[in-house]
Amino acid sequence: MSKQGQMDLELKKAFGELQQKMVETSQKLKLADLQIETLKRSMTHAQLTDKEISQLPTDTKTYESVGRMFVLKEVTEARMNLDNKIKGCEEKVKTLEGTKAYLERSLKESENNIREMIQQRKDANVGDQN
């Protein structure tokens, strides 16, 4: 096998690996977006529920779902649980947004590597023809 043929094989393999990495990164980005949307929806739901519960008198019976059953809770305890849920969701969203930023940088880097690889190949072909 000639040196040119071996170089083509290596180039093809590297190109395939970069392309696969880009596809995986894109899928992870979509998953992170989906998780962020779900968490934001959950936060909004908890905030609306907290707003409604805050308007109730303190002696009102409130029930919180636990699995397939409902447990009697005081209004203050129910509001505290909702507040904890909102804080937990906010932390997860921050973490996911950090991960998303990293994935976006990784995707850009992969795209640049592919462009560079193609440019090098074009330059090598032009050099061979001369």
Side-chain angles (χ1 to χ4, degrees), residues 7-121:
M7 195 170 141
D8 284 346
L9 262 165
E10 290 174 9
L11 195 64
K12 199 172 195 177
K13 183 180 177 184
F15 187 77
E17 288 172 359
L18 276 172
Q19 228 171 3
Q20 184 178 356
K21 183 181 176 187
M22 279 183 61
V23 168
E24 289 173 2
T25 304
S26 296
Q27 289 174 343
K28 288 178 184 177
L29 270 169
K30 288 178 187 173
L31 180 64
D33 281 334
L34 196 66
Q35 289 175 331
I36 288 171
E37 278 302 311
T38 303
L39 286 168
K40 285 184 178 179
R41 198 173 305 120
S42 180
M43 282 172 45
T44 303
H45 184 267
Q47 288 167 342
L48 289 171
T49 305
D50 185 46
K51 182 179 175 185
E52 290 298 318
I53 289 178
S54 69
Q55 298 171 2
L56 298 174
T58 55
D59 61 337
T60 305
K61 290 183 178 181
T62 56
Y63 295 88
E64 191 173 325
S65 74
V66 179
R68 295 173 64 179
M69 67 178 189
F70 292 91
V71 179
L72 181 64
K73 300 275 184 173
E74 292 181 20
V75 172
T76 54
E77 191 177 351
R79 290 191 68 203
M80 190 172 62
N81 289 342
L82 286 169
D83 192 43
N84 289 338
K85 183 177 181 179
I86 292 168
K87 286 178 184 173
C89 287
E90 286 172 346
E91 288 174 15
K92 288 178 185 175
V93 166
K94 280 184 183 177
T95 303
L96 283 169
E97 285 176 344
T99 303
K100 186 179 165 187
Y102 167 77
L103 289 172
E104 287 171 342
R105 284 193 308 271
S106 177
L107 186 65
K108 264 196 176 357
E109 188 177 301
S110 294
E111 287 173 355
N112 290 337
N113 287 343
I114 287 177
R115 282 192 192 100
E116 192 176 305
M117 200 177 288
I118 291 170
Q119 189 61 43
Q120 285 177 351
R121 181 69 181 133

Side-chain angles (χ1 to χ4, degrees), residues 4 7 118-130:
Q4 181 68 28
M7 195 170 141
I118 291 170
Q119 189 61 43
Q120 285 177 351
R121 181 69 181 133
K122 285 180 183 177
D123 292 345
N125 283 342
V126 169
D128 289 345
Q129 290 174 357
N130 291 335

